[in-house]
Amino acid sequence: MATLHTVPARKGLALRVRKGQHYKVINTHGYQIVDHWAFNAEDYRECMSMEHCHVAIDKLMPVVGDTMVTNKRRPIITLMADTSPGIHDTMVAACDIYRYQQLGAVGHHDNCTDNLANALKAIGVSIQPHETPAPFNIFQNTQYHPGKGIAYLPTVSKKGDYVTLRAEMDAIVAFSCCPQDMIPVNSGKPTSAEVELE
Amino acid sequence: MATLHTVPARKGLALRVRKGQHYKVINTHGYQIVDHWAFNAEDYRECMSMEHCHVAIDKLMPVVGDTMVTNKRRPIITLMADTSPGIHDTMVAACDIYRYQQLGAVGHHDNCTDNLANALKAIGVSIQPHETPAPFNIFQNTQYHPGKGIAYLPTVSKKGDYVTLRAEMDAIVAFSCCPQDMIPVNSGKPTSAEVELE
């Protein structure tokens, strides 16, 4: 029996999954980036690590069949299906209050770094800001052109596109609907997304 | 008055630098990768972060003039000079015991992750393994070919090549002469390197 969980617009969500369990990250409204993290359920200090994943998957952008690994180089999640054009990002940090301040925000601005901490806190796990792992930025369309800078483009994923992931260990999986509205990565209008747990 | 500090072959070294101070990382024997980290001297939890640097420098490989930033997006070091061909890496994790085990090592193998922790410990700073930031892999020649995998090639830096860096805050700077001898990134023979402190 599948259960559907909403990641609210601009906010985060953390869920516990069992080894072997599948979950779908659904771009419900389209054009929304979902920052994703995964942690060993028994020890949050073991977490999915993009810099270790690059070596493990032998590329910078995972494709169906690739298994992401932790900072102990152990399998934690596998990309089982992807109905989007397959454009995701593994190279840039989650947004944080400092990023928005640099872009000119004054006062509070929702951000994926705080969303992760709050989502984990809601299920009883406490991490410090410096322990935030680099995220797997699902649906994020960031293009790297040597000599020409980085282009932060609108996603190419459409309404209803999804990726299916399988947990390779008992894990805490966390998601943030990126609240970036100061550059056009979410097409200017951050929305909610859904996670369907098998 | 400059002082010369040796980073022993296969081992690490950590030094304290003041804001504005320059230091040279010298490829003394050539063909050696030097993993590099930098931490706020007042709070090691603020550290140079590759995933934040990518956004700040607007590229994946820093060039002369680029300022690397921390996980609070504040300047921490600037690349002032580079006599090497400018090939460095910011995308893969420091090697660790898990990497060597996967490559077939049995028992102990020196690794950059432990070298960082030991180098910091020697100057009174304690970090846990999961707090190891992704390193700035100076002189590392890792090539990313979409659809063709990652190539871990010998460095293209030669004997005596150096990069000069300037600290943008009072910092702890750490180095590890990468002990990778199971793939040819250090041309098969890890050596020492030198750090010249202004």
Side-chain angles (χ1 to χ4, degrees), chain B residues 8 17 21 25 42 50 52 62 67 72 76 85 88 93-94 98 115 122 130 133 135 145 170 198:
Chain B
V17 292
Q21 195 168 9
V25 181
E42 305 302 319
M50 291 306 110
H52 294 81
T67 295
K72 291 186 173 178
I76 186 162
H88 312 292
Y98 312 109
N115 285 351
H130 81 287
H145 303 291
D170 290 353
E198 184 197 67

Side-chain angles (χ1 to χ4, degrees), chain A residues 38-83:
Chain A
F39 302 84
N40 178 344
E42 304 302 320
D43 177 5
Y44 80 87
R45 293 171 302 183
E46 181 174 5
C47 60
M48 179 165 64
S49 164
M50 292 305 112
E51 60 264 30
H52 293 82
C53 286
H54 293 155
V55 179
I57 67 175
D58 200 30
K59 60 182 80 67
L60 298 176
M61 197 189 300
V63 300
V64 169
D66 279 337
T67 295
M68 307 294 264
V69 301
T70 69
N71 48 358
K72 291 187 173 179
R73 303 192 192 253
R74 299 198 306 152
I76 186 161
I77 62 172
T78 296
L79 182 54
M80 303 299 289
D82 185 355
T83 70

Side-chain angles (χ1 to χ4, degrees), chain A residues 34-190:
Chain A
V34 181
D35 283 36
H36 183 35
W37 298 265
F39 302 84
N40 178 344
E42 304 302 320
D43 177 5
Y44 80 87
R45 293 171 302 183
E46 181 174 5
C47 60
M48 179 165 64
S49 164
M50 292 305 112
E51 60 264 30
H52 293 82
C53 286
H54 293 155
V55 179
I57 67 175
D58 200 30
K59 60 182 80 67
L60 298 176
M61 197 189 300
V63 300
V64 169
D66 279 337
T67 295
M68 307 294 264
V69 301
T70 69
N71 48 358
K72 291 187 173 179
R73 303 192 192 253
R74 299 198 306 152
I76 186 161
I77 62 172
T78 296
L79 182 54
M80 303 299 289
D82 185 355
T83 70
S84 81
I87 303 296
H88 311 292
D89 185 78
T90 65
M91 244 98 79
V92 295
C95 61
D96 48 39
I97 190 59
Y98 312 108
R99 173 77 164 136
Y100 292 106
Q101 287 170 347
Q102 289 177 356
L103 288 168
V106 177
H108 173 79
H109 193 291
D110 286 323
N111 63 81
C112 290
T113 299
D114 288 348
N115 285 350
L116 171 65
N118 291 335
L120 291 175
K121 193 176 174 187
I123 62 165
V125 177
S126 173
I127 65 166
Q128 293 187 62
H130 81 287
E131 297 174 315
T132 305
F136 173 24
N137 297 308
I138 299 176
F139 308 125
Q140 182 166 327
N141 181 15
T142 308
Q143 300 288 330
Y144 302 86
H145 303 291
K148 295 181 188 170
I150 299 178
Y152 298 91
L153 303 175
T155 70
V156 289
S157 62
K158 300 288 191 303
K159 188 174 170 168
D161 276 348
Y162 63 84
V163 300
T164 304
L165 299 151
R166 182 180 67 200
E168 302 297 345
M169 62 171 71
D170 289 354
I172 293 166
V173 290
F175 311 88
S176 172
C177 275
C178 180
Q180 179 58 270
D181 53 8
M182 301 181 75
I183 57 175
V185 291
N186 294 305
S187 297
K189 189 170 180 292

Side-chain angles (χ1 to χ4, degrees), chain B residues 8-52:
Chain B
R10 300 169 179 270
K11 299 293 180 184
L13 174 75
L15 298 167
R16 292 180 185 272
V17 292
R18 297 181 314 281
K19 180 177 177 175
Q21 195 168 9
H22 289 64
Y23 56 99
K24 252 186 213 182
V25 181
I26 307 168
N27 210 329
T28 315
H29 305 284
Y31 313 106
Q32 176 61 43
I33 294 164
V34 180
D35 282 36
H36 183 34
W37 297 266
F39 302 83
N40 178 343
E42 305 302 319
D43 177 4
Y44 80 88
R45 294 170 302 184
E46 181 175 4
C47 59
M48 177 163 67
S49 164
M50 291 306 110
E51 60 264 31
H52 294 81

